[in-house]
Amino acid sequence: MKNIVIIGAGGFGREVKMLIDQINLVEKKFNLLGFYDDNISIGTQVNGYPVLGGVNDLMIYNNEISVVISIADPKIKFQIHKSLKINSNISFPTLIHPNVLIGTDSVLIGEGCIICASNIITVNISIGNFVILNLFCTTGHDTVIGDYCSFMPSVNISGEVVIEDLVYVGTGAKIINLLKIGNSTIIGAGAVVSKTLPEKCTAVGIPAKPIKFHE
Ligand SMILES: CC(C)(COP(=O)(O)OP(=O)(O)OC[C@H]1O[C@@H](n2cnc3c(N)ncnc32)[C@H](O)[C@@H]1OP(=O)(O)O)[C@@H](O)C(=O)NCCC(=O)NCCS
């Protein structure tokens, strides 16, 4: 069993604890030590496990440890990974719920991903590093997803979609086929994306339209 800690002891972090419990029911893979969270005091108990410190404490962790970054905001995920990747004691496993349906034809999934219960990932798909696919998402054929993207529950990605790095997609959004979503773009809950979206915008509605741009 590998020792593992969860970064982020909020709602999603606690759901990731549940995901680890479900993986262990099938095969005892992980020994959960606790949470790391910059905003919760050391020693606080979270669903039976202690908060052990903040991200800075992990930067100097000197034993082998698996770390799962359970934070939906792509930019924060990116920053945390940037500060921890210099510590060679840390590995970033990809966690996949046992009931996830993944096609056997050319599906590539990077490191540090979190794939929650009831996802379906079909065929000829490439998923980058540190991608979160929250509950009940579907990812269709020939889709490419970049690094650090986060998809909230019940997002449907049709076929042949290209999603660049650091994209956040709100709950229930639908992305129709053959289009591209630019780097760091944010898509609102419930949006229907029917056309290619530029980078660094927030797009909402049906059809999804950019309402603002950010750095
Ligand atoms: C799109 C989103 C990121 C925008 O957040 P924001 O940058 O703080 O923007 P604001 O809340 O100031 O909203 C700006 C405008 O867009 C509208 N808007 C916000 N989200 C919207 C959405 N999902 N659909 C349609 N309109 C939306 C607001 O009503 C507001 O309109 P107004 O200017 O006419 O008042 C956010 O509303 C959203 O949908 N987040 C996803 C949440 C989610 O899925 N959580 C999952 C947790 S598991």
Side-chain angles (χ1 to χ4, degrees):
M1 286 223 283
K2 286 185 170 170
N3 285 338
I4 192 167
V5 296
I6 299 171
I7 297 185
F12 187 56
R14 284 179 279 121
E15 289 180 340
V16 168
K17 187 246 169 206
M18 173 189 159
L19 170 56
I20 292 169
D21 291 342
Q22 300 280 305
I23 291 169
N24 280 342
L25 281 178
V26 176
E27 185 190 343
K28 286 197 185 325
K29 281 191 176 170
F30 297 110
N31 175 36
L32 179 62
L33 302 182
F35 295 88
Y36 281 77
D37 193 305
D38 288 344
N39 300 312
I40 301 180
S41 311
I42 295 177
T44 304
Q45 290 288 312
V46 177
N47 287 6
Y49 285 81
V51 173
L52 299 165
V55 173
N56 287 348
D57 298 304
L58 277 174
M59 285 168 73
I60 51 167
Y61 200 89
N62 57 11
N63 286 312
E64 277 191 13
I65 189 81
S66 294
V67 170
V68 52
I69 306 175
S70 302
I71 291 176
D73 185 316
K75 281 188 181 152
I76 298 175
K77 265 193 288 189
F78 171 81
Q79 287 301 340
I80 291 174
H81 176 229
K82 194 175 162 195
S83 54
L84 293 184
K85 68 184 174 190
I86 52 173
N87 184 344
S88 58
N89 291 311
I90 296 180
S91 60
F92 299 98
T94 279
L95 304 184
I96 301 177
H97 190 280
N99 80 357
V100 171
L101 183 58
I102 303 182
T104 50
D105 295 311
S106 299
V107 175
L108 301 173
I109 302 177
E111 68 168 351
C113 295
I114 302 171
I115 306 194
C116 299
S118 302
N119 267 262
I120 300 176
I121 299 166
T122 66
V123 294
N124 304 96
I125 289 168
S126 170
I127 296 176
N129 301 315
F130 299 93
V131 171
I132 294 173
L133 283 160
N134 209 318
L135 304 163
F136 281 105
C137 294
T138 61
T139 306
H141 64 90
D142 303 293
T143 284
V144 177
I145 297 175
D147 296 337
Y148 308 105
C149 293
S150 290
F151 301 86
M152 297 303 100
S154 299
V155 169
N156 300 126
I157 307 165
S158 305
E160 297 174 72
V161 174
V162 175
I163 301 173
E164 293 184 341
D165 296 345
L166 294 153
V167 167
Y168 175 96
V169 183
T171 189
K174 295 184 186 311
I175 301 169
I176 72 165
N177 57 320
L178 287 163
L179 52 77
K180 184 171 161 185
I181 297 173
N183 192 300
S184 303
T185 273
I186 297 168
I187 296 169
V192 174
V193 182
S194 61
K195 288 194 174 127
T196 285
L197 290 174
E199 64 174 25
K200 296 179 181 168
C201 73
T202 296
V204 301
I206 304 174
K209 296 220 159 86
I211 53 166
K212 54 186 171 184
F213 286 83
H214 53 261
E215 265 320 294

